[in-house]
Amino acid sequence: MWQILALPESQLCLSAVLKCGQSFRWTSIGSAPNQEYRFCLRDRVVCLKQDATTLFYRTILPLSQPSALPQQQIAEAETLVWLRDYFQLDVDLQKLYAEWAIRDKVFSSGIQTRFAGIRMLRQDPFENLISFICSSNNNIGRITKMVQALCRHYSAPLLSMPDPADPLIEVQYHPFPSPSVLAAPDVETTLRDLGFGYRAKFIQRTAKMLVDTHGSADLAEKFLAGLRNASTEDAREELLKFMGVGRKVADCVLLMSLDKKEVVPVDTHVHQIAIKHYGLKGSLNAKSNMTPKLYEEINTKLVTVWGDYAGWAHSVLFTSDLKAFSTHGVEAAETTLPTPPPTPSPLKRKGGVSDQTSTADLPPSPLAGRTKRRRTTEAAR
DNA sequence: CGGACACCGCGT
DNA sequence: CGCGGTGTCC
């Protein structure tokens, strides 16, 4: 039943951090052995699980007949191809980490070992675009709920299965809705009622603009995916045309969906990291507005430090700074390093400047120990 | 062009 | 009050 997901480096199974795009959820595959993580991938639900040494996957097809073994094998083969694409397994991550460690002391002193195996996912452009439109003035926990509400409300469930943690609960797996569905005029009102606030209009307008411009949802999605072949500057220019998409959101989509590996999205959080570790001017206390000029300044600096995969490096630093991962890999680092740093995280911020990454911002991780599980019976992919 | 300011709702 | 910002106005 379970298939082996062959990995280019063993560390991935132990400490990969997966940001499941549409659910906008950070989770660590390695943090809770043998727990399942599931998400919709195109026409199916994919389950991931890992033991001490290996990452496994399996495929659940909708309406799948009990037998049909050949069909299942074909599906597993397809899933493997898609997972390799989704995890971008052809990118040699160890080589990248080695380069970052040479270029950057922050990497070589702790981060490199504690946060090994973190790779950028190649996420669907449309769902990622909408997810990040939701992210303005917002925190991860609420963004996750909003995107799940979007899926639950605007797409039919692919299938339903018992919750791995509690088999008495059936979980419905909804794919991300199509642009044409979200383009309907009444979507704005509905999303407002669902608590999306001013972002309701952005989502509806963006979806409508996509469908109107390209004629159909299918062509719209093909257009977005086609931006993978455009230059970073051209692709960014296209993204900035959408309502609710500024520089930060555009850069997130460029990096996480459009293969622009060098792009470093700058938010207040990254700003703090840049000040603390990379000599950017600014105060850790005063919240200065992010001007285009300052954005470029930070961006340029970080690209200079990290090189042409700067966006990937940024993801590692970002994860290491999340409170939910503040103790991640600390013990491993202590046993490996002769002189371990006394602080749990070298990047840990001080003071109450922007404490947006408290654990309360994060939804319960499906692979982390479940202490308090929400009663929701549906899961957006 | 850069600098204010509002924007929704939720958590602290 | 502030949040992993953006549109709009001046």
Side-chain angles (χ1 to χ4, degrees):
Chain A
M1 189 91 172
W2 288 97
Q3 315 290 314
I4 293 174
L5 179 57
L7 299 170
E9 70 279 336
S10 58
Q11 288 91 332
L12 177 64
C13 347
L14 301 177
S15 61
V17 173
L18 168 64
K19 178 180 163 294
C20 190
Q22 61 289 14
S23 71
F24 216 96
R25 172 167 47 196
W26 291 84
T27 184
S28 170
I29 289 181
S31 63
N34 290 317
Q35 289 216 30
E36 245 184 276
Y37 180 64
R38 297 174 181 162
F39 63 107
C40 294
L41 190 58
R42 305 196 190 191
D43 63 339
R44 62 196 61 183
V45 172
V46 172
C47 313
L48 294 173
K49 179 182 89 164
Q50 64 104 45
D51 64 16
T53 57
T54 315
L55 184 58
F56 300 93
Y57 74 93
R58 66 176 170 149
T59 304
I60 313 293
L61 294 169
L63 309 171
S64 79
Q65 302 302 319
S67 57
L69 192 56
Q71 187 199 339
Q72 182 67 29
Q73 285 176 347
I74 292 170
E76 299 293 10
E78 284 175 335
T79 299
L80 178 58
V81 172
W82 296 347
L83 283 179
R84 290 193 61 85
D85 179 73
Y86 188 59
F87 283 103
Q88 312 205 49
L89 292 186
D90 290 334
V91 176
D92 187 343
L93 200 59
Q94 290 198 320
K95 189 176 164 190
L96 289 179
Y97 270 76
E99 286 173 11
W100 296 330
I102 293 170
R103 289 167 159 269
D104 183 0
K105 248 195 174 112
V106 177
F107 265 89
S108 54
S109 56
I111 295 295
Q112 187 185 17
T113 41
R114 284 186 54 211
F115 295 93
I118 296 175
R119 48 174 67 249
M120 192 60 56
L121 300 182
R122 194 172 195 236
Q123 298 176 77
D124 178 86
F126 178 68
E127 69 184 38
N128 205 219
L129 177 64
I130 300 300
S131 294
F132 275 102
I133 285 177
C134 294
S135 77
S136 73
N137 255 314
N138 214 342
N139 57 68
I140 293 175
R142 186 154 84 102
I143 297 163
T144 302
K145 285 178 193 157
M146 287 164 65
V147 176
Q148 285 177 346
L150 207 55
C151 295
R152 193 170 53 237
H153 205 87
Y154 284 107
S155 77
L158 221 44
L159 56 87
S160 115
M161 343 171 20
D163 189 320
D166 184 353
L168 294 180
I169 298 179
E170 278 292 305
V171 184
Q172 309 247 73
Y173 293 90
H174 296 256
F176 197 86
S178 144
S180 55
V181 176
L182 296 181
D186 61 309
V187 165
E188 178 179 347
T189 319
T190 308
L191 290 184
R192 273 199 178 263
D193 292 340
L194 287 172
F196 280 62
Y198 60 89
R199 305 163 195 92
K201 184 164 100 176
F202 295 165
I203 292 169
Q204 189 272 330
R205 289 279 296 274
T206 294
K208 179 163 171 43
M209 181 175 155
L210 270 168
V211 175
D212 286 353
T213 306
H214 300 96
S216 74
D218 191 50
L219 290 175
E221 300 216 60
K222 284 202 164 60
F223 163 76
L224 289 177
L227 294 178
R228 286 170 171 160
N229 300 319
S231 71
T232 297
E233 290 68 29
D234 290 352
R236 181 183 289 126
E237 196 179 326
E238 289 299 324
L239 292 174
L240 289 174
K241 291 177 183 171
F242 297 114
M243 167 109 359
V245 177
R247 177 69 193 263
K248 196 279 183 171
V249 169
D251 280 1
C252 285
V253 176
L254 288 173
L255 173 65
M256 302 175 190
S257 294
L258 300 181
D259 301 337
K260 305 299 184 268
K261 53 193 169 31
E262 79 285 2
V263 171
V264 179
V266 178
D267 51 33
T268 54
H269 198 160
V270 171
H271 186 196
Q272 296 300 317
I273 292 178
I275 292 172
K276 195 158 166 54
H277 296 283
Y278 300 99
L280 262 289
K281 54 190 170 193
S283 166
L284 287 172
N285 310 334
K287 53 155 180 43
S288 56
N289 283 345
M290 182 54 61
T291 63
K293 188 181 172 186
L294 180 57
Y295 192 109
E296 286 299 341
E297 209 174 318
I298 295 170
N299 200 60
T300 306
K301 172 64 183 174
L302 295 180
V303 169
T304 306
V305 174
W306 292 328
D308 63 343
Y309 273 80
W312 286 51
H314 138 277
S315 185
V316 177
L317 261 283
F318 194 95
T319 303
S320 74
D321 205 39
L322 289 174
K323 268 232 178 93
F325 295 104
S326 62
T327 60
H328 180 88
V330 168
E331 285 182 31
E334 280 173 358
T335 53
T336 320
L337 295 174
T339 51
T343 51
S345 165
L347 289 173
K348 199 164 185 151
R349 281 193 314 280
K350 298 184 177 111
V353 177
S354 60
D355 201 3
Q356 68 258 23
T357 53
S358 67
T359 46
D361 286 330
L362 297 167
S365 165
L367 286 175
R370 293 189 182 230
T371 47
K372 47 168 187 179
R373 190 171 35 74
R374 288 161 43 72
R375 293 179 65 197
T376 174
T377 55
E378 308 213 36
R381 75 146 167 151

